[in-house]
């Protein structure tokens, strides 16, 4: 939750509770001594497993869990944070700010000694196709999809649209713009020139011309957003009141 707008947390909690999902925790794996990870997560997991009807392993002295989620949401970061806090060990699995770092199910990783608990890290899982274009763009903005598959300038264009729509204008000051703009090419041209990133390219007439490096500029904008430098946001704020979250507990979708 280091990048999210926490002002929406109560709405999220209420919606999830109405769907029968009561065990929700918000963590920041970048904090060295996160209270949730240190004091609440392991006991809650242990309690849920011991109280589950599917748990019939009398005599077993260890817990083995699978961690799942869409790409680039911090699964590996959570495992590493649990190890750091509970067994004082370093990283056991690679992390990165792009989708696809974890490519296969890894060996089980010890994350706690008492109780003895292991986690399996897994690659991110997405639906084979995303029908809603705006949902796809939000996933792309969060680096859940690989940038080159969508196009860096296309993702940056959607991000600019969303920030303007919700009156979040930190990008203006951060990139030294004279004011807000809804023109992505004007925006990226400014960023490229600001960093002296000009490309020499061959025109269709066969002559060489100098043009701003739009891909560099788009990557810089996306990196700034993903590092929280353009403000903390909740991309689904418009959908939160009507979002139909599957009832996972009852097996309904």
């Amino acid at each position: 939750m280091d990048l999210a707008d926490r002002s929406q947390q109560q709405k999220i909690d209420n919606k999830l509770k109405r769907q029968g999902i009561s065990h929700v925790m918000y963590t920041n794996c970048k904090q060295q001594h996160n209270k949730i990870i240190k004091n609440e997560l392991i006991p809650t997991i242990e309690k849920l497993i011991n109280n589950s009807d599917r748990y019939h392993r009398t005599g077993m002295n260890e817990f083995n869990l699978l961690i799942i989620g869409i790409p680039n949401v911090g699964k590996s970061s959570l495992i590493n944070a649990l190890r750091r806090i509970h067994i004082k060990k370093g990283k056991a699995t690679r992390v990165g700010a792009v989708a696809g770092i974890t490519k296969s199910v890894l060996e089980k990783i010890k994350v706690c000694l008492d109780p003895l608990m292991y986690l399996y890290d897994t690659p991110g899982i997405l639906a084979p196709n995303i029908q809603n274009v705006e949902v796809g763009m939000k996933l792309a903005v969060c680096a859940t999809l690989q940038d080159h598959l969508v196009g860096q300038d296309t993702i940056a264009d959607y991000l600019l649209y969303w920030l303007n729509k919700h009156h979040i204008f930190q990008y203006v000051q951060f990139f030294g713009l004279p004011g807000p703009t809804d023109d992505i090419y004007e925006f990226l041209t400014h960023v490229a020139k600001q960093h002296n990133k000009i490309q020499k390219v061959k025109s269709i007439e066969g002559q060489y011309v100098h043009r701003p490096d739009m891909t560099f500029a788009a990557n810089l904008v996306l990196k700034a957003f993903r590092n929280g430098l353009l403000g903390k946001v909740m991309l689904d704020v418009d959908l939160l009141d009507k979002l139909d979250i599957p009832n996972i507990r009852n097996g309904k979708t």
Side-chain angles (χ1 to χ4, degrees):
M1 293 293 289
D2 58 309
L3 301 177
D5 176 9
R6 295 292 293 270
S7 68
Q8 303 297 324
Q9 182 173 323
Q10 191 60 53
K11 288 184 178 180
I12 296 172
D13 288 341
N14 292 339
K15 184 65 177 181
L16 289 170
K17 286 179 181 178
R18 288 197 297 271
Q19 298 294 330
I21 303 170
S22 57
H23 299 284
V24 180
M25 297 183 180
Y26 299 88
T27 66
N28 181 355
C29 295
K30 293 183 178 180
Q31 290 179 342
Q32 288 296 315
H33 303 287
N34 184 271
K35 293 182 180 179
I36 298 293
I37 296 176
K38 183 178 181 180
N39 301 323
E40 298 183 34
L41 184 56
I42 296 295
T44 300
I45 291 173
E46 184 179 15
K47 180 180 177 180
L48 288 172
I49 293 176
N50 286 333
N51 292 337
S52 171
D53 294 335
R54 298 179 61 188
Y55 188 66
H56 300 293
R57 297 171 55 200
T58 303
M60 295 294 292
N61 61 355
E62 66 181 48
F63 297 96
N64 294 278
L65 296 91
L66 192 70
I67 185 166
I68 60 173
I70 64 175
N72 200 37
V73 293
K75 298 183 294 298
S76 299
S77 295
L78 177 59
I79 290 176
N80 289 333
L82 285 166
R83 281 176 57 84
R84 182 181 69 245
I85 291 173
H86 289 283
I87 63 175
K88 313 303 180 188
K89 297 288 187 179
K91 293 181 180 180
T93 182
R94 292 176 60 207
V95 298
V98 296
I101 294 294
T102 304
K103 298 184 181 299
S104 61
V105 178
L106 304 177
E107 295 294 323
K108 66 180 183 180
I109 300 167
K110 186 185 294 184
V111 295
C112 188
L113 297 175
D114 184 21
L116 185 58
M117 187 173 293
Y118 296 89
L119 281 178
Y120 289 88
D121 199 4
T122 64
I125 302 172
L126 271 180
N129 55 68
I130 301 169
Q131 300 293 336
N132 187 298
V133 174
E134 188 160 13
V135 169
M137 292 308 303
K138 289 177 181 178
L139 291 171
V141 165
C142 295
T144 299
L145 307 172
Q146 294 186 13
D147 289 345
H148 72 276
L149 298 178
V150 181
Q152 291 92 333
D153 57 341
T154 301
I155 302 172
D157 191 14
Y158 176 80
L159 174 60
L160 181 63
Y161 154 78
W162 192 94
L163 293 173
N164 286 334
K165 179 182 178 182
H166 293 87
H167 302 95
I168 300 175
F169 300 121
Q170 283 94 324
Y171 73 89
V172 175
Q173 182 177 0
F174 185 83
F175 289 108
L177 291 163
T181 177
D182 60 0
D183 188 330
I184 187 60
Y185 295 105
E186 176 184 286
F187 181 26
L188 296 182
T189 296
H190 171 88
V191 173
K193 289 182 177 180
Q194 187 180 54
H195 290 81
N196 198 29
K197 290 295 182 179
I198 307 298
Q199 289 180 313
K200 186 178 180 180
V201 297
K202 199 171 186 178
S203 68
I204 58 175
E205 291 85 10
Q207 297 179 340
Y208 285 97
V209 296
H210 292 87
R211 292 177 181 170
D213 189 339
M214 297 297 200
T215 300
F216 169 87
N219 281 329
L220 201 64
V221 171
L222 294 175
K223 182 179 180 180
F225 173 78
R226 292 164 181 169
N227 286 336
L229 301 176
L230 305 185
K232 295 187 176 184
V233 304
M234 167 67 172
L235 290 175
D236 280 335
V237 65
D238 292 340
L239 304 176
L240 192 55
D241 292 334
K242 59 182 179 180
L243 187 62
D244 185 18
I245 300 174
N247 191 331
I248 298 174
R249 173 175 293 181
N250 294 325
K252 298 178 181 178
T253 57

